[in-house]
Amino acid sequence: DTEVTQTPKHLVMGMTNKKSLKCEQHMGHRAMYWYKQKAKKPPELMFVYSYEKLSINESVPSRFSPECPNSSLLNLHLHALQPEDSALYLCASSLDRGPMRGYTFGSGTRLTVV
Amino acid sequence: GQQVMQIPQYQHVQEGEDFTTYCNSSTTLSNIQWYKQRPGGHPVFLIQLVKSGEVKKQKRLTFQFGEAKKNSSLHITATQTTDVGTYFCAGQGDTGRRALTFGSGTRLQVQP
């Protein structure tokens, strides 16, 4: 299995809702990432997990809460989002030993906050 | 913080013409990677360069890493319509921080 699976593919949520994005990989990768991508912009790093521990938080607002329940799963819990949080949320994974390797990205969750 | 810029932002070519995108980092990189994102798709890993002055080829694509490890380029020979998409470079700094910073991207349009 050489894929990263993200669900849901599309999500519309109100500013008072609570929702979660899910990401799963079975490649044995121990580094997992959340990126946010706005239209016609590059992916922006949000969080990095290494061996199920949060290693990087790029000063992301607390309305985004990541969770890594095990080595294959990564969640992003959303609460009280703003319309400007609408974007494509990308999960990625990579090997986490030795030199950095290429990322495998999921197909993303396209989030619209209304 | 580390910044990675790419030029041009956008290029429109006729099928069969060559294409080059350039990537420049504000800091020295330990490695640089290249990704392609098709319209409506997600980034797909193309290649990683690690050594100073490294050149790698994948069919019609040629990737270079600068001697100072602060810049890189991607050259496509004889573009095809399947090359359409946005090409991102992404660099890892040399501080040991295990995360990539993506360049601003170059969007390639190929006219048949």
Side-chain angles (χ1 to χ4, degrees):
Chain A
D1 189 351
T2 58
E3 287 188 345
V4 173
T5 303
Q6 286 188 248
T7 55
K9 293 200 182 309
H10 300 273
L11 179 62
V12 179
M13 62 184 288
M15 290 188 285
T16 58
N17 290 161
K18 283 186 183 181
K19 296 285 184 184
S20 296
L21 309 185
K22 297 188 184 302
C23 174
E24 188 169 4
Q25 58 88 15
H26 296 286
M27 294 178 282
H29 290 173
R30 303 307 293 270
M32 296 185 77
Y33 312 84
W34 281 114
Y35 278 82
K36 172 183 176 180
Q37 187 177 30
K38 298 281 247 181
K40 294 188 178 6
K41 296 293 186 183
E44 292 179 18
L45 182 66
M46 300 176 72
F47 302 105
V48 179
Y49 272 84
S50 175
Y51 288 84
E52 295 99 70
K53 287 186 171 29
L54 183 65
S55 61
I56 297 176
N57 176 343
E58 291 288 87
S59 303
V60 178
S62 60
R63 57 186 185 269
F64 295 91
S65 175
E67 179 197 19
C68 190
N70 60 55
S71 60
S72 299
L73 293 175
L74 187 65
N75 299 322
L76 186 63
H77 303 298
L78 314 173
H79 174 54
L81 295 194
Q82 304 296 312
E84 58 265 29
D85 296 321
S86 298
L88 180 67
Y89 287 84
L90 293 161
C91 173
S93 70
S94 72
L95 288 168
D96 196 33
R97 283 214 181 275
M100 270 195 70
R101 312 288 181 86
Y103 290 3
T104 301
F105 278 91
S107 55
T109 294
R110 198 162 294 278
L111 174 68
T112 304
V113 181
V114 298
Chain B
Q2 181 185 7
Q3 291 189 351
V4 183
M5 299 301 296
Q6 276 182 258
I7 55 169
Q9 281 191 319
Y10 173 75
Q11 183 114 38
H12 186 152
V13 301
Q14 294 286 325
E15 192 172 20
E17 291 183 337
D18 293 356
F19 160 76
T20 305
T21 173
Y22 300 91
C23 177
N24 284 287
S25 170
S26 58
T27 59
T28 303
L29 301 171
S30 65
N31 71 85
I32 194 155
Q33 301 178 14
W34 285 90
Y35 291 79
K36 176 183 178 181
Q37 186 171 21
R38 293 181 186 273
H42 58 277
V44 174
F45 173 70
L46 295 176
I47 207 158
Q48 176 176 285
L49 304 169
V50 178
K51 298 176 185 173
S52 168
E54 189 168 15
V55 178
K56 286 189 176 180
K57 292 192 176 187
Q58 285 181 351
K59 297 183 180 177
R60 296 177 294 105
L61 278 60
T62 303
F63 304 84
Q64 293 190 336
F65 200 8
E67 294 290 341
K69 300 185 76 173
K70 293 181 74 173
N71 58 75
S72 181
S73 65
L74 158 59
H75 179 81
I76 302 178
T77 304
T79 54
Q80 300 175 358
T81 54
T82 52
D83 295 326
V84 164
T86 300
Y87 292 84
F88 292 103
C89 62
Q92 181 196 8
D94 60 357
T95 60
R97 184 173 181 262
R98 294 185 73 86
L100 291 176
T101 299
F102 277 76
S104 43
T106 296
R107 189 157 61 97
L108 173 65
Q109 185 63 35
V110 180
Q111 178 111 20

